[in-house]
Amino acid sequence: GKTVNFALLFKMGARKLATTLKIDLELAKKYRNGFFAAYPGIKRYYNEIRQQMFGRGYVLSMIGRRMHVPSYIHINIRQGHIGNHPITILPDGTKEYCKQCWAVAKEERDATNFPIQSSAGEILKIASRNLAKDCEEKGYPYDQMNIVNLIHDEMLVEVPETIAIEARDLVKYHMENAIVLKTKTGVIIPIQTDAKIVRNWGESSLPDYVGEKDRPSRYELYIRDGLSKERIKNVFGLELKDAVQS
């Protein structure tokens, strides 16, 4: 699932994966081995990151921002720490590496993460800039659209209800066309996004809301959020009849 994908993409070890998923170590190793067998390109990506770290002393995001790796260069190259890792075996059988090795390992994980998450953030920022400029050029009522927040890979935009559908499509367009993604062989990779109309961010998991007739009752919203009928009645004073009447 999503947890395994992101955990292994960002170099989580089998022991940490077992703890995170609350499974035994052997099953975590099976997940890990299966993941890399299914996606061999991930290992190639790891090697490319190491080459950047050794060759440049930094790694790059998609548009050229740098993350420097001073610990990696100082410890591995200047001190000749490669292949010389003092290890302590703890009573429970786990391995405890020296502090320098931990510093190198953390920096390598961060450097592996950086091109992915920083590039995603850059795409979102470019999309928001282009959207704001487009709305200003279009004038009223599009200039009434306000970017409220950027949340990880999401953009929350407040718009007049009269242009909700047009605004949704405009946001989707700019999110999908902020940059052109290409493979090393020149194949264009389309960026796909989801966009929907809701009354507030708390309803973002619901289908598009395009008018009062589509508005679910508070009771229905709480049911969808997984609250029991008893809790809804005791805490909020709502019953099934409130869904029928609204």
Side-chain angles (χ1 to χ4, degrees):
K2 182 177 180 180
T3 301
V4 175
N5 288 341
F6 279 100
L8 297 182
L9 180 61
F10 298 137
K11 305 200 73 173
M12 181 180 287
R15 190 175 299 278
K16 177 66 174 177
L17 182 63
T19 302
T20 301
L21 297 180
K22 298 179 181 179
I23 59 177
D24 63 71
L25 182 58
E26 291 305 313
L27 183 57
K29 289 179 179 178
K30 184 178 178 180
Y31 282 166
R32 196 170 188 274
N33 294 337
F35 178 85
F36 290 120
Y39 305 104
I42 300 296
K43 285 289 182 72
R44 291 195 296 270
Y45 168 72
Y46 288 168
N47 292 332
E48 289 176 3
I49 292 298
R50 290 194 188 96
Q51 290 172 8
Q52 287 187 33
M53 294 172 74
F54 276 116
R56 301 170 174 168
Y58 58 82
V59 294
L60 293 169
S61 70
M62 191 175 297
I63 67 172
R65 287 197 302 141
R66 298 181 181 184
M67 173 191 165
H68 290 271
V69 286
S71 296
Y72 199 87
I73 297 300
H74 179 70
I75 295 172
N76 272 345
I77 296 180
R78 296 178 183 171
Q79 295 188 4
H81 208 60
I82 300 174
N84 181 23
H85 301 272
I87 299 175
T88 302
I89 306 297
L90 300 179
D92 63 356
T94 58
K95 299 177 181 179
E96 185 177 70
Y97 294 89
C98 70
K99 291 182 178 180
Q100 289 182 322
C101 292
W102 277 116
V104 169
K106 181 182 184 305
E107 205 161 67
E108 186 171 323
R109 287 194 301 272
D110 291 344
T112 302
N113 185 328
F114 179 79
I116 299 171
Q117 294 204 345
S118 288
S119 297
E122 289 163 359
I123 292 173
L124 186 60
K125 291 178 178 68
I126 292 170
S128 63
R129 179 198 64 189
N130 293 346
L131 174 65
K133 182 179 179 181
D134 195 9
C135 290
E136 183 179 354
E137 291 176 351
K138 287 180 182 296
Y140 183 84
Y142 291 94
D143 58 1
Q144 303 301 303
M145 294 172 58
N146 295 308
I147 299 176
V148 177
N149 206 352
L150 304 179
I151 312 102
H152 300 298
D153 57 353
E154 297 181 18
M155 185 188 300
L156 184 63
V157 184
E158 188 176 64
V159 306
E161 189 167 353
T162 53
I163 59 165
I165 295 176
E166 293 84 353
R168 177 197 62 194
D169 296 341
L170 187 63
V171 171
K172 182 176 175 66
Y173 170 81
H174 282 293
M175 290 285 278
E176 294 182 341
N177 293 277
I179 65 171
V180 177
L181 289 180
K182 290 185 179 180
T183 66
K184 291 182 177 179
T185 58
V187 177
I188 294 178
I189 304 171
I191 300 176
Q192 297 180 329
T193 62
D194 296 320
K196 63 173 61 174
I197 303 165
V198 292
R199 293 179 303 152
N200 56 65
W201 190 28
E203 297 180 7
S204 60
S205 61
L206 301 179
D208 265 4
Y209 163 77
V210 292
E212 194 65 25
K213 63 181 177 61
D214 298 313
R215 177 181 177 180
S217 68
R218 287 178 61 200
Y219 181 90
E220 290 170 319
L221 289 176
Y222 293 138
I223 287 290
R224 292 178 192 182
D225 286 341
L227 299 182
S228 67
K229 295 178 181 179
E230 291 75 17
R231 178 170 174 76
I232 295 172
K233 181 179 179 180
N234 294 336
V235 176
F236 301 104
L238 299 174
E239 298 186 60
L240 180 59
K241 63 180 178 63
D242 296 293
V244 178
Q245 292 173 355
S246 59

